[in-house]
Amino acid sequence: MSDKRQKLTRKIVEAVEPGPKDQFLWDSEVVGFGVRVRPGGHRGYILQYRFAGRARQYQIGAHGSPWTVETARDRARVLQGQVAGGEDPQDSKLGSRKEVTVAQLCDQYLAEGLATRKQTSIDSARSDIDNHIKPLLGAKRASLVTRQDVDQLLADVAAGKTRRTAKTAKKRGLSIVRGGKGAANSAVVTLSAAMGFAVARGVRPDNPAFRVRRFPEKKLERFLSPAEIARLGEALAAAEAVGVESPSAIAAIRLLVLTGCRKNEVLTLKPGFVDRHHRCFRLPDSKTGHKIVHIGAPALKVIDGICPEGSNIEYVLPGEWGTGHFVNLQRPWERIRAAAGLDDVRIHDLRHAFASLGAATGDSLLVIGALLGHRSAKTTHRYAHLAEHPVKDAAARISAEMSRLLGDELVAFEPGPSAPSLAADAGESARAQSLLGRVSQTRWLPTEAAAAYVGLSVPTLHTYRWAGTGPVSRKIGKRVVYAQADLDAWMAGRALDAGWMAAE
């Protein structure tokens, strides 16, 4: 049967009965093209040819979709053309097996493509790659990734296919990967960047992830009203008076709302970055690189309260154990916002609150963008921050207005501060007893002190609170506190009720 040549058709190929050894049928139209029938019944198309004096055999593919007699014959013609052009198809096939996989491409992208990016950007890309891209596409050759593969990746991550929980190198550390639509969008963005890197390196001619339609993202824009800012100031003052939160946590929240800085810009602030004379932070590095942040007197007073000038500490907001900077702001923030009735407010929304207050008081978007450190088409002159300009005045005015809403005692805002007025502000800061919500211990009282103040036992005061007939209280974390003014009002009401009952 191996010597017989005829035009192969599907009927002929499928009519061959498997024998005890391999059987070959050769095509009469394309020399060297044929089908091999193995004893187990497998049928596969092959091409035999000679290259550099050696007989070679190329496996085209198994009979069936996508390889029919016609498609396999066409492929055999292409291969013969390569042989005629001096190229060995078998070497090309071996070369394709050595192509980089998506996993290898991603590793190269992290090492070379992101070499000039910030560590936070690298960590974010690595998270997408390790948690989603590698598990779903890592073994696939980078040159064979299609638009359909990217669409499937998006759907699988959104459906939670990559969900897992694993231990980390840290003691009792856990890595929890949940997936979801937000994670799916992020994974596709990272894959698109890696594929763009592949195009630049000649790994493939196009980017299959470019402009892939992603899930609509919800814009989380939460702006605080003046009443909400006042409630936040009240909760901060109560937490500080009773001592239920770390001073660094309270100061961090105040600085965020008074300066419009990003969270890490405040948490990693060092004393050397604070320029008290020119009222600004000189940040050597930030999300947008070197940055000058103009601030007002209220923000300086917060810093003076926790890190007086000349303090020998590494960070303005030290960690809870005295080393490094404060890191875990989320949990204190959740307790503070719950006490203020702001459960839907994120830490980053404090930055929005600062910007929105500036817009509401008439500042242009250009000035607000400069305050927040957004990238701009125009670069600020190198020493422009030393001169008097609208950005400096806006920082002072917004900070003072924010402080007023928080219920603080501050000097009035005066546009365009000069060097003498700055010195006066510094003296006022040292004399002030109330620093942006810091109040005397007698204004906010814990339950024990409140009970003694109104002349009741602690259980009795608790009973009044549970019954809803006691004085107004606030809950900060697990602690219940009372404002002295609310206690006075409650006692006055009880005395009035007692007078009416006596008169009757």
Side-chain angles (χ1 to χ4, degrees):
M1 183 174 290
S2 61
D3 294 331
K4 185 177 181 180
R5 297 180 183 278
Q6 56 186 319
K7 183 178 180 180
L8 296 181
T9 64
R10 181 178 65 84
K11 185 176 181 180
I12 293 174
V13 171
E14 294 180 351
V16 180
E17 294 292 336
K21 60 180 182 179
D22 290 350
Q23 300 182 68
F24 295 88
L25 293 177
W26 300 106
D27 187 54
S28 59
E29 289 195 356
V30 178
V31 177
F33 171 61
V35 63
R36 176 168 54 192
V37 182
R38 295 190 180 276
H42 179 271
R43 293 166 170 80
Y45 296 106
I46 61 173
L47 176 69
Q48 285 191 344
Y49 62 95
R50 296 187 69 84
F51 187 85
R54 296 175 55 193
R56 308 298 299 270
Q57 188 178 90
Y58 187 95
Q59 310 295 327
I60 296 176
H63 172 66
S65 180
W67 296 113
T68 64
V69 175
E70 290 75 17
T71 58
R73 184 183 287 117
D74 291 341
R75 177 60 176 161
R77 290 192 177 99
V78 172
L79 295 173
Q80 283 185 331
Q82 292 179 1
V83 174
E87 180 181 350
D88 187 353
Q90 195 75 352
D91 291 343
S92 300
K93 190 173 185 180
L94 291 173
S96 67
R97 291 177 182 172
K98 297 178 182 179
E99 285 185 3
V100 296
T101 63
V102 173
Q104 292 169 333
L105 171 66
C106 288
D107 290 340
Q108 190 175 6
Y109 168 66
L110 288 173
E112 301 175 19
L114 296 178
T116 59
R117 301 292 293 275
K118 294 183 179 297
Q119 187 60 43
T120 52
S121 299
I122 298 175
D123 292 341
S124 177
R126 179 177 285 108
S127 176
D128 287 334
I129 290 169
D130 292 342
N131 295 330
H132 306 296
I133 297 175
K134 282 186 176 180
L136 296 175
L137 291 177
K140 193 176 185 70
R141 294 212 303 267
S143 63
L144 298 182
V145 175
T146 65
R147 187 67 165 253
Q148 290 75 17
D149 293 328
V150 180
D151 289 336
Q152 191 62 49
L153 170 77
L154 185 74
D156 288 344
V157 176
K161 190 172 181 179
T162 53
R163 183 185 295 115
R164 65 181 176 84
T165 301
K167 291 184 177 180
T168 65
K170 294 183 179 180
K171 185 178 181 181
R172 289 179 289 186
L174 284 178
S175 172
I176 302 175
V177 180
R178 295 184 176 88
K181 294 181 179 180
N185 286 347
S186 180
V188 169
V189 170
T190 299
L191 178 61
S192 180
M195 286 297 169
F197 173 79
V199 172
R201 293 300 175 92
V203 175
R204 57 176 299 140
D206 62 339
N207 182 351
F210 182 64
R211 290 186 177 177
V212 166
R213 188 180 181 90
R214 303 194 295 271
F215 292 105
E217 294 186 359
K218 185 185 298 184
K219 291 185 178 181
L220 301 176
E221 294 182 348
R222 175 67 162 86
F223 301 103
L224 297 178
S225 68
E228 289 174 326
I229 296 173
R231 295 209 308 269
L232 175 60
E234 185 180 71
L236 288 169
E240 184 177 31
V242 182
V244 294
E245 296 295 349
S246 164
S248 291
I250 294 174
I253 295 172
R254 285 181 175 141
L255 286 176
L256 288 172
V257 80
L258 290 171
T259 65
C261 286
R262 297 180 177 89
K263 181 181 70 172
N264 284 338
E265 292 171 352
V266 166
L267 295 183
T268 59
L269 186 67
K270 294 185 177 182
F273 300 166
V274 181
D275 185 340
R276 286 175 168 83
H277 179 70
H278 294 107
R279 271 193 195 159
C280 64
F281 297 155
R282 301 178 183 274
L283 306 180
D285 193 21
S286 70
K287 184 177 180 180
T288 55
H290 176 71
K291 181 177 177 181
I292 301 295
V293 180
H294 296 282
I295 60 175
L300 283 177
K301 291 181 179 180
V302 172
I303 294 174
D304 288 337
I306 195 169
C307 175
E309 189 170 6
S311 298
N312 187 24
I313 57 177
E314 185 178 5
Y315 292 97
V316 171
L317 304 176
E320 295 182 88
W321 305 106
T323 58
H325 61 79
F326 191 82
V327 291
N328 190 11
L329 186 59
Q330 184 59 33
R331 289 185 179 180
W333 169 245
E334 289 175 356
R335 293 189 289 266
I336 292 293
R337 73 180 183 184
L342 304 172
D343 292 322
D344 64 331
V345 178
R346 305 167 303 152
I347 291 178
H348 194 72
D349 291 329
L350 302 180
R351 180 172 164 88
H352 293 323
F354 180 86
S356 63
L357 186 60
T361 53
D363 291 305
S364 70
L365 295 180
L366 182 61
V367 170
I368 293 173
L371 283 172
L372 297 181
H374 290 162
R375 287 190 178 96
S376 172
K378 295 183 179 180
T379 304
T380 306
H381 293 295
R382 186 172 187 178
Y383 299 106
H385 62 277
L386 298 178
E388 304 301 333
H389 52 68
V391 172
K392 187 181 294 294
D393 289 344
R397 185 180 66 261
I398 295 173
S399 186
E401 176 65 8
M402 186 70 75
S403 178
R404 183 189 68 79
L405 292 171
L406 289 173
D408 308 330
E409 299 174 10
L410 294 171
V411 294
F413 162 71
E414 295 181 0
S418 59
S421 66
L422 286 172
D425 285 342
E428 180 65 22
S429 175
R431 294 191 300 271
Q433 296 298 316
S434 174
L435 302 180
L436 297 169
R438 171 178 289 178
V439 294
S440 62
Q441 293 287 343
T442 56
R443 183 181 176 188
W444 291 96
L445 304 176
T447 301
E448 296 80 3
Y453 186 78
V454 299
L456 298 175
S457 65
V458 172
T460 302
L461 186 58
H462 278 316
T463 301
Y464 276 114
R465 183 171 64 87
W466 293 331
T469 59
V472 176
S473 62
R474 307 286 189 279
K475 193 170 184 181
I476 310 293
K478 297 182 179 180
R479 297 284 297 277
V480 177
V481 298
Y482 296 84
Q484 183 177 337
D486 292 331
L487 295 175
D488 291 337
W490 184 71
M491 288 191 295
R494 291 189 70 196
L496 185 59
D497 290 341
W500 284 346
M501 292 178 64
E504 293 178 353

